[in-house]
Amino acid sequence: MKIGYGRCSTNDQNLDLQTDALTKAGCSKIFTDIASGAKAERDGLTEALEYIREGDTLVVWKLDRLGRSLRHLIDTVGALQVKGIGFHSLQENIDTTTSGGKLFFHIFGALAEFERDIIRERTNAGLASARARGRLGGRPKSMDGRKIEMARTLYAGKKTSIGEICKTLNVSKATLYRYLGEEAA
């Protein structure tokens, strides 16, 4: 049995094109969502995935209607394959119930993994290059040595309130106490 899934990003858009194509493709039941592709919770997709059974095929009008990202798309189709469920995208003509469709989708997944590895390698190389130049990653310190000494002096004098010290140094109470450490305890 073919089960269809369609999605539009906003209420201004119309699902008719997708539902017509899914009906023409032979889908006996169609689930829909009106939600951004980036949104994790999509009730129609959840219902479709709960409804579909082994031997069925999930049909979408276009790949980007199913996955929030390439990784999400590959994970979703992989989960379908594990359950013995096929996947068919009408516009890209990808059908994992055929050997050619499976091959194409595996190549697609391998390219996505390759892209992630390249991004990871570039990030690590950039961090190593920055470290070699003496730059460390992370957020800059909110208090330098001069500010820490001023905070200690004001705190030890006991004439200035914690709130006033924080306002003077432009830091939160948590930051002040962290830098004062045991002295404040």
Side-chain angles (χ1 to χ4, degrees):
M1 181 183 330
K2 291 183 179 181
I3 307 300
Y5 174 71
R7 179 186 60 80
C8 283
S9 299
T10 65
N11 286 324
D12 296 340
Q13 296 174 336
N14 193 320
L15 281 165
D16 291 345
L17 173 69
Q18 293 179 52
T19 55
D20 290 349
L22 293 169
T23 301
K24 187 177 178 183
C27 294
S28 57
K29 188 154 180 70
I30 298 173
F31 296 88
T32 60
D33 277 317
I34 297 178
S36 166
K39 189 175 178 184
E41 286 299 315
R42 292 186 272 166
D43 295 336
L45 179 59
T46 301
E47 288 176 36
L49 295 176
E50 288 173 357
Y51 180 84
I52 202 163
R53 300 289 176 248
E54 183 177 349
D56 291 348
T57 300
L58 181 65
V59 182
V60 296
W61 179 65
K62 207 171 174 190
L63 285 174
D64 66 351
R65 301 295 87 196
L66 178 64
R68 296 188 327 260
S69 64
L70 184 57
R71 178 79 254 152
H72 180 253
L73 178 67
I74 291 169
D75 289 346
T76 302
V77 173
L80 291 172
Q81 287 180 334
V82 167
K83 295 177 182 178
I85 299 168
F87 172 74
H88 187 185
S89 172
L90 300 175
Q91 290 296 303
E92 291 84 5
N93 200 22
I94 298 172
D95 186 353
T96 64
T97 61
T98 68
S99 56
K102 285 180 187 173
L103 172 66
F104 183 77
F105 204 80
H106 285 291
I107 291 171
F108 200 57
L111 289 172
E113 189 172 336
F114 177 70
E115 179 186 26
R116 282 192 311 280
D117 288 345
I118 287 175
I119 291 168
R120 188 179 311 113
E121 287 173 10
R122 286 182 187 154
T123 301
N124 289 336
L127 290 171
S129 175
R131 272 189 229 104
R133 289 176 175 73
R135 287 182 281 169
L136 299 175
R139 187 176 183 166
K141 300 288 184 192
S142 57
M143 291 179 63
D144 58 16
R146 187 180 62 78
K147 273 188 170 183
I148 295 170
E149 191 55 42
M150 188 183 298
R152 286 184 179 142
T153 303
L154 290 170
Y155 184 77
K158 298 186 185 209
K159 290 182 180 177
T160 312
S161 72
I162 295 296
E164 290 172 347
I165 296 171
C166 291
K167 189 174 182 179
T168 302
L169 299 175
N170 195 27
V171 296
S172 69
K173 287 182 182 180
T175 300
L176 178 66
Y177 284 124
R178 187 171 53 252
Y179 278 96
L180 291 176
E182 293 176 8
E183 295 173 30

